[in-house]
Amino acid sequence: GIFTLHDVAANLEFPDGGLSHTLPLDGIVQFGDILPGDADVPGQKEREFIIRGDEIGVRKVRVNFGGSLIGPGIPEDDPIPFNGSAETTVEVKGPPEFNVQVIHPPAVIAGVPYEFIVDITNAGETPALYTSFELEVGLDGQLVDCVIDDAGEPVCTPIEGFATRNIGHLMPAQSTRQVFMINPLVTGTITSCMAIADQNISLRVA
């Protein structure tokens, strides 16, 4: 072609619902200018949307796009607008299945940080994409971030609220180990544990 697609933008819509935007949050991407290509290499640009399935089933996705044409014979101050849309479908399956094991020491000493280990395995057949993990502790402990100083001693800084780890993609049978540091505020042995897990999570405390 001889024309440039100028100031191109696109957005996603979900006519049936059941989906939501993850990245970008508003579902709008900017392409800028797409220069003309030739018979061998067309002018094109690619952008990525990340969406989340909120309801199981086949859902419609509509892409709306638009911009203006500029180039030979088109006045610079009067570009020709264009717009269009295209539809496709995505299938939302059930959530991945996870085996989660939490490893905790049998006893703690107030003021002495310890490792709290979480092993996560994708036990199903569905890839877990863009996975993240959040940890929050109760009133008897505090999440901390520890580094070793020049004297070889740990220096720990409290973490406010949740500790979040971005794991990325966790494929079937793949595992990850996440290690957190907790500063206990009381001394004693761990005599009991209460755990609540969703149906797709098998939780074990060791």
Side-chain angles (χ1 to χ4, degrees):
I2 61 174
F3 300 106
T4 294
L5 305 181
H6 175 62
D7 199 18
V8 180
N11 75 286
L12 288 188
E13 290 183 355
F14 310 124
D16 298 335
L19 302 169
S20 56
H21 300 289
T22 298
L23 187 68
L25 287 175
D26 59 2
I28 301 173
V29 297
Q30 302 292 334
F31 289 84
D33 289 354
I34 303 178
L35 301 177
D38 53 39
D40 296 324
V41 182
Q44 63 182 9
K45 286 186 177 180
E46 292 184 0
R47 295 292 185 269
E48 183 180 64
F49 293 94
I50 299 174
I51 61 177
R52 185 185 69 227
D54 299 320
E55 299 176 11
I56 295 174
V58 177
R59 305 291 173 181
K60 289 182 180 180
V61 178
R62 179 182 298 132
V63 182
N64 303 308
F65 55 89
S68 58
L69 288 177
I70 59 174
I74 301 176
E76 292 185 5
D77 59 351
D78 191 21
I80 300 174
F82 74 90
N83 61 75
S85 64
E87 283 193 3
T88 186
T89 59
V90 297
E91 182 180 4
V92 180
K93 300 182 179 180
E97 297 177 1
F98 297 104
N99 289 336
V100 179
Q101 177 174 259
V102 175
I103 302 173
H104 193 287
V108 297
I109 300 174
V112 179
Y114 64 89
E115 288 187 344
F116 183 84
I117 300 172
V118 182
D119 290 332
I120 305 170
T121 300
N122 185 344
E125 299 179 356
T126 303
L129 305 180
Y130 306 99
T131 306
S132 62
F133 181 86
E134 287 186 345
L135 177 68
E136 185 180 28
V137 300
L139 297 177
D140 290 336
Q142 185 177 42
L143 285 164
V144 292
D145 184 20
C146 298
V147 297
I148 304 300
D149 63 13
D150 294 338
E153 297 294 328
V155 178
C156 299
T157 304
I159 297 174
E160 299 295 333
F162 294 93
T164 302
R165 300 283 174 83
N166 292 315
I167 298 172
H169 302 338
L170 200 61
M171 308 307 289
Q174 187 176 2
S175 299
T176 180
R177 168 167 284 196
Q178 302 296 318
V179 180
F180 301 86
M181 297 299 296
I182 296 179
N183 182 32
L185 304 180
V186 296
T187 298
T189 58
I190 307 301
T191 58
S192 64
C193 175
M194 181 181 71
I196 301 174
D198 292 336
Q199 291 182 344
N200 64 313
I201 297 176
S202 174
L203 179 61
R204 178 170 175 263
V205 179

